Amino acid sequence: MSPRADGRRFLACVALGLAVLALAPLSFDSGFQLGLMSQMCAMALFALSYNLLLGQTGMLSFGHAVYAGLGGYAVIHLLRGMDGGPFVFPSVLLPVAGGVAGAAFAALIGYPTTRRGGTSFAMISLAVGELIHAAAGMLPEWFGGEGGLAADRTAGPAFVAGLWPGWSLGPDLHVYYLTAAWTAACALAIHALGRTPLLKLANAVRDNPQRVAFIGYDPHRVRYLMLTLSAFFAGVAGGLMALNLEIASADSMGALRSGAVLLAVVVGGSGLFLGPVAGAVVVTFFSVELSRHTGAWQLYLGLAFAAVVLALPGGLAGGIRDAARRGARGELAHWLRARKWTIAGALSGMSGLSLAIELAYGRVHGTGGQGVVSWFGLVLDPSAPLPWSVAGVLSVLGAAGLFLGRVQSRLVPSPEQCDG
Amino acid sequence: MDGLIVSLLNGLSYGLLLFMLSSGLTLIFSMMGIINFAHASFYMLGAYAAHAVAGALSPALTAGAAFWVALFIAPVLVGLAGAVVERFALRRLRGRGHVAELLFTFALAMIIAELVQLAWGRSAVPYRMPAAWGEPLFSLDGHAFPMHRLVVALAAGLMLAGLWWGLTRTRTGLIVRAALSHPAMAQALGHDVPRVFMLVFGAGCLLAGMAGAIGGSVFVTEPGMAQALGPIVFVVTVVGGLGSLAGAFWASLLIGLLQTLAVGSAWSLAAPASWLGASDAARALAAWPLSRVAPVLPYLLMVAVLVWRPRGLMGVRET
């Protein structure tokens, strides 16, 4: 594809994305939906910032929530400072303050922690995350202890003086637009970063740090810079989350939040620019929706995470890209036909597993007296043998389908194997 | 003074428990290059499995005997679970690099935490050692040293000796070490290297399960125990040096002592701060007793070690 056509396609994608962000409130206008969309936007930005580390520099971090969490605290502290103090800071720039807080902390702590990449960095980032989480518990004056710190998001002067006087950060719609605008701006900035020499160096550090050192660049410095940059965007995302919820708590810096962003990036796929965005939207949507329907939603997220790691190395985005390529070559139908047993087996196994999980959940954590489980509209009694045997049969059928699929793929070579 | 001795012994015993965990993690890492993020989850599984086995056996045996039998059966069950995980998941990911393996163990930790809650509920289960172990072994000036601390120390000591003997003095250990340093060569000589990997992963999980079976009875058996202990174990392995068993040993003792001594200490920086003429705010901060700062001390130690000696106390491998 010619560079000009590529550029035109990029512009079309940006225009489409901006239009979707701008027009979405027309059809989803309840407070809950607006809040959910704000959450998705902030999470998407958080995931993009995380992918600067994982996808671009090959640094697996288990403590990225620290930078987002500190950004959130910075925003909350600024709001509290304005609420009754002489201190003034335009609300529209609050997320930047969050970003600066995240980047400042990364600049402080990052030098020793980025000395090594790979597995060591992963473990060190986990320990730094735990350090900050534990320190937050020790300093209730700054971090608000168990309940966190709350603030009023309308405390600051609404926007730039004289401009849009009717706007404040009170209504959910305004917070959504602020979040969407910052997310879009930061996403474009991250995309533009992808063309800089620093990002090319980061990719080289990801692929072969020894070689980078050999040609005269310091991989440690590249990692350090990338961590600081990524922490800036994470801080912006954390600031947006705090503005939306009007609270910052120690949990927002904990391992659970770090795990959530990792989950989003891996499920979405770190190889494509939009992968983390897709992952963030999907994971946020499913955590909210699943948690409304079943208590075992974290188990489903964990299982989905494991399944994506095992079966879809490129994540959802990579899988969709591969399917689109197959479709363009007209091979999709054949590809699917060759895997019909695997697909049928996976579907049957998944439904059997989910039925068993729901029944077990109803038995152990049954709410409202004698546990009654609803599963896809069916109301089931977890103490009766019939649902359990159905779950067992579905699981056995699933295992049989997966086995047949493996046997079949050994008998009939796929086109890729013939090519190779 | 006598209180200090009992504290030291307690710290030593806690450090040895940490070593039980970090030895398995180190073994798996140095063999396969995998950081098993679910390692503390296998520790938790060990505690719950021992609780379940002891509960199942208690009608047939006396409480003490059921506890002892469970102490041996539960780690084996956990080791088998680890071997199954390696055989059916991690083996498929081997060609895709360590990040995929790491991510899988991370997902596994999430799944195990949820499954444990599904099977045993969200609150702690009553998994306790026989009452006799709670008796003080000896008392120094009112500070009692309970029997179970000695049991923890003995079990960890036996494990260390067994590990050292198995790796350096047996034929199996020779093959394991060969597969560690030269997998292709070991394979060419006719050893089933993938099976060695499976056994090593299972053995590492077995060690974690044994730590859980003991630690769960001394401390508390609840679904948060993996999350509470996991980061400390990683700190131990980083401080000791990734992949070094001796480093893990000394770092375990160091952190065990540090935490136990700090929790029981009222010592603070107040005197030096006022002597140096610090500001009021700094003096207020310095007046905190060490026990309040105790939770972050291991992590501070880790950052200090990283600044001073990035490969850890005894690590040799630069990763």
Side-chain angles (χ1 to χ4, degrees):
Chain A
M1 198 178 290
S2 72
R4 176 169 294 180
D6 208 19
R8 233 181 286 148
R9 212 178 63 171
F10 171 69
L11 280 182
C13 280
V14 171
L16 184 72
L18 287 179
V20 167
L21 281 179
L23 298 179
L26 291 183
S27 50
F28 304 104
D29 56 354
S30 75
F32 171 74
Q33 286 165 337
L34 283 171
L36 181 60
M37 285 195 299
S38 302
Q39 220 175 316
M40 281 178 182
C41 280
M43 194 65 194
L45 177 55
F46 190 22
L48 278 174
S49 89
Y50 188 80
N51 201 34
L52 279 178
L53 288 184
L54 180 65
Q56 304 284 356
T57 328
M59 295 157 82
L60 178 62
S61 166
F62 287 102
H64 204 52
V66 164
Y67 308 107
L70 288 176
Y73 271 109
V75 166
I76 294 294
H77 276 294
L78 278 176
L79 283 174
R80 285 166 78 94
M82 283 188 283
D83 206 7
F87 182 75
V88 171
F89 193 88
S91 301
V92 70
L93 293 179
L94 278 173
V96 181
V100 169
F105 184 69
L108 184 76
I109 191 90
Y111 199 77
T113 64
T114 54
R115 224 178 269 195
R116 296 187 293 174
T119 317
S120 320
F121 176 77
M123 295 172 73
I124 292 158
S125 67
L126 178 87
V128 168
E130 289 297 320
L131 169 68
I132 302 304
H133 191 64
M138 274 168 40
L139 295 163
E141 299 90 344
W142 298 346
F143 294 100
E146 291 266 311
L149 273 186
D152 178 9
R153 67 189 176 201
T154 59
F159 273 64
V160 186
L163 230 51
W164 305 301
W167 282 67
S168 68
L169 280 184
D172 290 321
L173 186 68
H174 296 182
V175 176
Y176 166 74
Y177 273 121
L178 185 79
T179 309
W182 274 112
T183 301
C186 289
L188 284 174
I190 291 173
H191 191 269
L193 256 181
R195 316 210 156 189
T196 59
L198 176 64
L199 254 279
K200 303 290 174 214
L201 260 181
N203 292 351
V205 167
R206 172 193 65 196
D207 297 334
N208 195 340
Q210 270 179 328
R211 212 159 175 182
V212 172
F214 187 70
I215 58 168
Y217 294 98
D218 185 0
H220 176 202
R221 223 155 116 199
V222 176
R223 281 192 213 109
Y224 179 54
L225 279 176
M226 288 305 291
L227 178 72
T228 311
L229 261 177
S230 154
F232 173 80
F233 291 111
V236 174
L240 290 171
M241 287 174 193
L243 264 185
N244 182 25
L245 300 172
E246 302 189 284
I247 193 166
S249 66
D251 287 341
S252 67
M253 303 193 288
L256 224 59
R257 186 65 70 84
S258 293
V261 71
L262 173 64
L263 177 73
V265 171
V266 170
V267 166
S270 67
L272 286 164
F273 184 77
L274 284 181
V277 177
V281 170
V282 167
V283 168
T284 310
F285 181 77
F286 274 101
S287 341
V288 171
E289 274 306 304
L290 275 177
S291 64
R292 281 166 53 163
H293 292 295
T294 164
W297 60 280
Q298 282 175 315
L299 180 55
Y300 288 118
L301 280 185
L303 287 172
F305 190 13
V308 168
V309 171
L310 277 175
L312 263 184
L316 290 180
I320 290 170
R321 183 186 54 183
D322 289 350
R325 279 186 186 160
R326 287 217 172 76
R329 291 202 300 253
E331 287 168 3
L332 195 57
H334 177 259
W335 187 83
L336 284 177
R337 217 176 304 125
R339 279 161 185 75
K340 60 175 185 273
W341 289 116
T342 309
I343 293 170
L347 284 177
S348 163
M350 262 154 49
S351 47
L353 192 62
S354 112
L355 180 56
I357 289 172
E358 288 305 314
L359 290 172
Y361 200 87
R363 254 194 128 125
V364 176
H365 307 288
T367 46
Q370 187 56 36
V372 171
V373 174
S374 82
W375 183 68
F376 289 107
L378 299 169
V379 177
L380 305 167
D381 177 10
S383 53
L386 182 65
W388 282 99
S389 29
V390 170
V393 168
L394 281 173
S395 308
V396 170
L397 283 179
L402 290 177
F403 180 71
L404 265 180
R406 279 188 75 174
V407 170
Q408 200 187 27
S409 72
R410 271 190 216 136
L411 295 180
V412 187
S414 66
E416 292 98 85
Q417 280 168 315
C418 293
D419 292 344
Chain B
M1 191 58 216
D2 294 340
L4 184 69
I5 291 175
V6 171
S7 279
L8 277 175
L9 287 174
N10 276 335
L12 220 56
S13 148
Y14 180 61
L16 285 169
L17 179 78
L18 281 182
F19 175 66
M20 280 202 255
L21 272 165
S22 47
S23 61
L25 192 67
T26 303
L27 191 66
I28 291 172
F29 175 79
S30 54
M31 266 302 286
M32 310 162 72
I34 299 176
I35 290 291
N36 181 11
F37 257 86
H39 201 71
S41 306
F42 285 107
Y43 163 81
M44 175 163 75
L45 276 185
Y48 274 99
H51 164 68
V53 170
L57 287 178
S58 60
L61 301 165
T62 63
F67 182 84
W68 275 110
V69 174
L71 217 52
F72 286 95
I73 293 182
V76 174
L77 292 178
V78 175
L80 284 178
V84 167
V85 164
E86 202 284 335
R87 172 67 186 80
F88 291 101
L90 289 173
R91 190 175 289 187
R92 290 170 187 219
L93 295 171
R94 182 141 315 129
R96 300 223 321 258
H98 293 326
V99 169
E101 293 165 338
L102 244 171
L103 287 175
F104 182 79
T105 58
F106 191 71
L108 189 65
M110 286 170 77
I111 295 171
I112 291 178
E114 286 295 311
L115 285 181
V116 161
Q117 291 182 31
L118 207 53
W120 286 284
R122 292 199 202 290
S123 44
V125 294
Y127 174 51
R128 294 264 74 111
M129 74 211 81
W133 290 15
E135 299 289 315
L137 192 63
F138 59 86
S139 239
L140 281 177
D141 199 20
H143 300 278
F145 183 75
M147 173 87 174
H148 56 71
R149 302 276 176 182
L150 186 71
V151 175
V152 170
L154 278 181
L158 277 177
M159 228 170 72
L160 173 67
L163 207 60
W164 175 80
W165 181 79
L167 278 178
T168 60
R169 290 286 182 275
T170 64
R171 201 180 149 72
T172 318
L174 199 67
I175 298 167
V176 165
R177 281 186 297 147
L180 150 72
S181 49
H182 300 291
M185 184 61 87
Q187 181 105 40
L189 287 173
H191 297 295
D192 189 350
V193 170
R195 214 187 82 209
V196 172
F197 278 10
M198 183 179 89
L199 292 178
V200 166
F201 195 85
C205 293
L206 185 142
L207 293 180
M210 188 181 274
I214 295 172
S217 66
V218 175
F219 303 109
V220 61
T221 301
E222 45 109 12
M225 62 196 279
Q227 229 189 354
L229 206 59
I232 299 282
V233 178
F234 288 114
V235 167
V236 167
T237 26
V238 171
V239 167
L242 282 174
S244 157
L245 214 51
F249 178 69
W250 293 115
S252 303
L253 291 192
L254 180 64
I255 289 180
L257 285 174
L258 186 72
Q259 270 198 312
T260 314
L261 292 183
V263 164
S265 154
W267 185 80
S268 77
L269 286 170
S274 66
W275 184 68
L276 285 170
S279 69
D280 282 349
R283 228 181 292 174
L285 207 64
W288 282 11
L290 201 56
S291 56
R292 194 175 162 189
V293 197
V296 298
L297 281 180
Y299 306 112
L300 283 180
L301 176 71
M302 192 202 72
V303 173
V305 165
L306 284 174
V307 172
W308 168 65
R309 194 182 161 87
R311 62 198 163 94
L313 294 180
M314 298 195 171
V316 281
R317 188 188 275 200
E318 281 283 347
T319 37

